[in-house]
Amino acid sequence: MPIEHVLVVEDDLHISKLLKYNLQKAGYKCSVVITGEEALETLNNEEIDLIILDIMLPKMDGFDTCRTIKADALLSTIPIIILTARGEEVDRVVGLELGADDYVVKPFSVRELILRIKNVLKRNPVDHSEKKAVLELDDMVIDIPRHRVLVKGNIVVLTSMEFNLLVYLMRTRGRVQSREKLLSEVWEMNTEVTTRTVDTHIKCLRQKLGSAGHLIETIRGVGYCLRDDT
């Protein structure tokens, strides 16, 4: 059984060192970051089983960090224990309403916290079995689980429909897709859309992809094709 990985989000160096030492002693793998932004970056790049989250963080506070995590379909199942000096009832209520699984007030007992961690992990095991689906072509990378597209390492902001269209073209690259086929597979033949809708989305997609836009070819009188050769 793999070692469970706990992410500590805490800007107090003394507390973060204390937590890391005791978590590792208890048999957990532990990573420490000091900001909410760093926490989100870590969550997108590593498999985390539980988060210990302070509220009073620089820039993005713990509440906003918790809200962001729980709003992300790929991260929302990761359990969160809020560990903070803010012990007012209103803070507890807000934290739990945002989706935190437990709320611990400083000063705290390390032994009790580790027991809470064990209980939360037992109730909410995180499934990492699903492999990440990442599609690559030339300078373009489509990270399906994170719903993210990069061209030459830069993030390209797409609408949900543009993303779905690009993924479908990528999965069928090298094969011409008629407008009707794209409507059927991507839009699921919504009666409110027409073949012109496909053309409009392709145009916007090419513009947003910049230097990678040329990969989407127009096959006159038929439809579109994502080049299989670069």
Side-chain angles (χ1 to χ4, degrees), residues 13 17 20 29 62 87 97 102 117 135 143 181 197 211:
L13 186 60
K17 282 185 174 181
K20 185 170 186 176
K29 179 181 177 181
E97 284 184 340
D102 205 344
I117 290 170
L135 308 175
D143 189 333
K181 179 68 171 177
T197 301
S211 62

Side-chain angles (χ1 to χ4, degrees), residues 38-92:
E38 289 177 325
L40 295 174
E41 183 178 353
T42 300
L43 291 169
N44 281 323
N45 291 291
E46 297 188 40
E47 292 183 348
I48 301 296
D49 297 286
L50 182 139
I51 304 162
I52 298 176
L53 178 64
D54 187 18
I55 292 178
M56 293 180 284
L57 299 170
K59 296 181 181 178
M60 178 186 289
D61 69 19
F63 286 148
D64 284 339
T65 303
C66 183
R67 183 182 293 107
T68 302
I69 292 169
K70 292 302 180 181
D72 188 318
L74 295 168
L75 305 177
S76 61
T77 58
I78 302 174
I80 296 175
I81 296 179
I82 290 179
L83 179 64
T84 178
R86 292 171 60 169
E88 296 296 323
E89 181 182 2
V90 62
D91 293 318
R92 291 175 181 269

Side-chain angles (χ1 to χ4, degrees), residues 137-149:
L137 180 64
D138 198 16
D139 294 323
M140 180 170 64
V141 177
I142 305 175
D143 189 333
I144 296 175
R146 294 180 187 142
H147 208 274
R148 186 169 65 178
V149 175

Side-chain angles (χ1 to χ4, degrees), residues 210-221:
S211 62
H214 73 282
L215 295 172
I216 304 175
E217 292 188 325
T218 300
I219 309 301
R220 192 173 299 278

